[in-house]
Amino acid sequence: MSLEILPVTGLPEIDTDSDLAGLIAKAGVRGGGAFEDGDILVVTSKIVSKAEGRVLGATDREAAIDAETVRVVARRGSTRIVENRNGLVMAAAGVDASNTAPGTVLLLPEDPDASARALRARLQQLTGRRLAVVVSDTFGRPWRNGLTDVAIGAAGLRVLEDHRGRTDSHGNELAMTVTATADELAAAADLVKGKTTGTPVAVVRGPATHVTVEDGPGARALVRPAADDMFRLGTSEAVREAVTLRRTVRSFTAEPVDPAAVRRAVAAAVTAPAPHHTTPWRFVLVESAGTRQRLLDAMLDAWRRDLAELDGWDEQKIARRTARGEVLRGAPYLVVPCMVTDGSHAYPDARRAAAEREMFVVAAGAGVQNLLVALAGEGYGSAWVSSTMFCRDVVRQVLGLPEGWDAMGAVAVGRAAEPPVARAPRGVEAYVLER
């Protein structure tokens, strides 16, 4: 296959309600040449936006970005990578203050695929040729320096070329390869269009087999679904989302828990702050179903005995109280976080000795919170239940733990059986005292 990239020159300044298709058809290829069947026209989104009246009088570009933003993906200083209304993840929601009059900003087309379809229909009518149209815009890319043009709208084009199931020259079956053809065409055309040449349209001639009779799904098919996006958030945003996702889960599926995921969560847990450069965290991973059963049975017996003998509760009241621990039985995996006070300072008076222990308790709690948040980031639900604190000797005996390990509750881990109930955001003012 040979490939030519030809400029469409001589276009005037595009204004609101300009007949963009008519102007392109009149200009022709490289100074008046005719279009051919199978030509792919790559049109810069800026002139599409201008023709559609997407010019906004705005002295505050940031406010315009806010209005076009659905979700902030990452923020570094004043730079924002966001998802816009069309699902495109890009800098500043595509709001542009270049190539537009002072005091105005240029928004992306409201529906770039619809823009491409309309432009294609009109161009085919005017030229009598079978054409494809790509609306392009400039994107940065993760892991790569520099900008490149990509397709944000398309019509009459196979935007993706799926090679899966085919074989390479050595007979190996391709399992992952799906080529973003529309993006490749957009980037290639920009070598002719450029950023400052005043050539907003180019024709890619040669790959006519990619041109279709139907408009097709458009560039929307290039947007990766959120469920498949492993890099959906920036670092700080991912941490905040994991904190928000962390919920107490009371009901789990039977799906086994990946031990490697739990160990990654423990690795995050042990980065918590601790006093005196100590490491006061230990995490007992109760992976054996038999061990879980023995532990929970022994804990239940200890609870019942204490509630009856020490608190004088009757069987009905004991049953209601101990039923709260059933969440541990319903989980496919348990973690028992423990605190050790090795390296703590000894004080002769009770007040300072109590404060010293409290420092280690706070550090243990910080480690558990890290664990829960990291588990949420791995897609697991959890419930932190305090019951082991009331029968530490029993826990040590069943799990064979050293004397100095104090159980700090138990964490049930697994896939949540039900989606979390929507939780109203909590404002900070009720929890803040300013001085």
Side-chain angles (χ1 to χ4, degrees), residues 119-132 212:
L119 193 55
R120 181 198 190 209
R122 177 72 172 141
L123 282 167
Q124 290 190 141
Q125 180 186 44
L126 292 172
T127 64
R129 299 296 187 181
R130 181 172 59 88
L131 307 172
T212 60

Side-chain angles (χ1 to χ4, degrees), residues 21 23 82 124 229 267 349:
L23 293 171
V82 305
Q124 290 190 141
D229 189 351
D349 64 287

Side-chain angles (χ1 to χ4, degrees), residues 2-317:
S2 62
L3 186 74
E4 286 185 281
I5 306 172
L6 308 169
V8 174
T9 57
L11 288 173
E13 182 68 25
I14 303 301
D15 296 315
T16 300
D17 297 327
S18 290
D19 180 6
L20 182 57
L23 293 171
I24 293 172
K26 182 179 179 180
V29 179
R30 197 161 47 188
F35 294 100
E36 297 180 4
D37 282 337
D39 280 352
I40 301 167
L41 279 78
V42 182
V43 184
T44 301
S45 63
K46 285 185 177 63
I47 64 170
V48 178
S49 294
K50 288 179 178 180
E52 293 179 350
R54 296 285 284 169
V55 181
L56 180 68
T59 56
D60 185 359
R61 180 171 177 250
E62 295 303 310
I65 295 170
D66 289 342
E68 294 296 304
T69 295
V70 172
R71 177 177 62 89
V72 175
V73 174
R75 185 193 304 267
R76 297 293 181 272
S78 61
T79 300
R80 281 186 285 172
I81 306 299
V82 305
E83 179 184 340
N84 74 2
R85 300 176 190 276
N86 290 299
L88 301 172
V89 175
M90 59 195 311
V95 176
D96 200 342
S98 63
N99 292 305
T100 186
T104 66
V105 295
L106 200 57
L107 310 181
L108 289 179
E110 188 169 2
D111 183 343
D113 281 330
S115 300
R117 289 191 291 270
L119 193 55
R120 181 198 190 209
R122 177 72 172 141
L123 282 167
Q124 290 190 141
Q125 180 186 44
L126 292 172
T127 64
R129 299 296 187 181
R130 181 172 59 88
L131 307 172
V133 170
V134 172
V135 177
S136 69
D137 198 60
T138 304
F139 273 45
R141 299 151 300 151
W143 314 294
R144 305 285 288 179
N145 285 323
L147 305 173
T148 186
D149 263 29
V150 302
I152 65 169
L157 183 73
R158 285 198 300 272
V159 297
L160 292 167
E161 183 74 10
D162 192 345
H163 300 275
R164 291 173 296 182
R166 303 179 188 176
T167 55
D168 63 17
S169 58
H170 297 282
N172 300 308
E173 183 175 337
L174 301 176
M176 299 291 289
T177 305
V178 180
T179 302
T181 305
D183 283 347
E184 291 183 327
L185 292 166
D190 198 52
L191 295 172
V192 167
K193 293 193 287 126
K195 304 302 178 190
T196 59
T197 61
T199 306
V201 183
V203 171
V204 181
R205 181 171 290 169
T209 56
H210 293 294
V211 178
T212 60
V213 175
E214 301 81 12
D215 282 335
R220 172 67 67 172
L222 294 162
V223 177
R224 191 186 300 275
D228 299 333
D229 189 351
M230 296 177 66
F231 310 101
R232 183 168 168 76
L233 296 168
T235 303
S236 60
E237 292 75 20
V239 171
R240 284 197 295 273
E241 180 154 307
V243 171
T244 303
L245 288 174
R246 195 227 49 85
R247 302 287 188 87
T248 297
V249 174
R250 299 293 181 185
S251 177
F252 299 92
T253 70
E255 179 184 340
V257 171
D258 178 10
V262 177
R263 283 163 172 77
R264 288 193 293 270
V266 171
V270 298
T271 64
H276 314 317
H277 304 288
T278 59
T279 55
W281 322 276
R282 303 291 186 271
F283 294 90
V284 184
L285 310 183
V286 189
E287 297 178 343
S288 162
T291 302
R292 288 198 301 274
Q293 185 72 33
R294 288 194 301 276
L295 174 64
L296 297 176
D297 287 347
M299 288 170 54
L300 181 59
D301 289 343
W303 265 84
R304 284 173 172 163
R305 183 174 59 252
D306 287 350
L307 292 173
E309 295 177 2
L310 302 180
D311 299 317
W313 287 14
D314 60 31
E315 280 298 322
Q316 189 175 18
K317 191 174 182 180

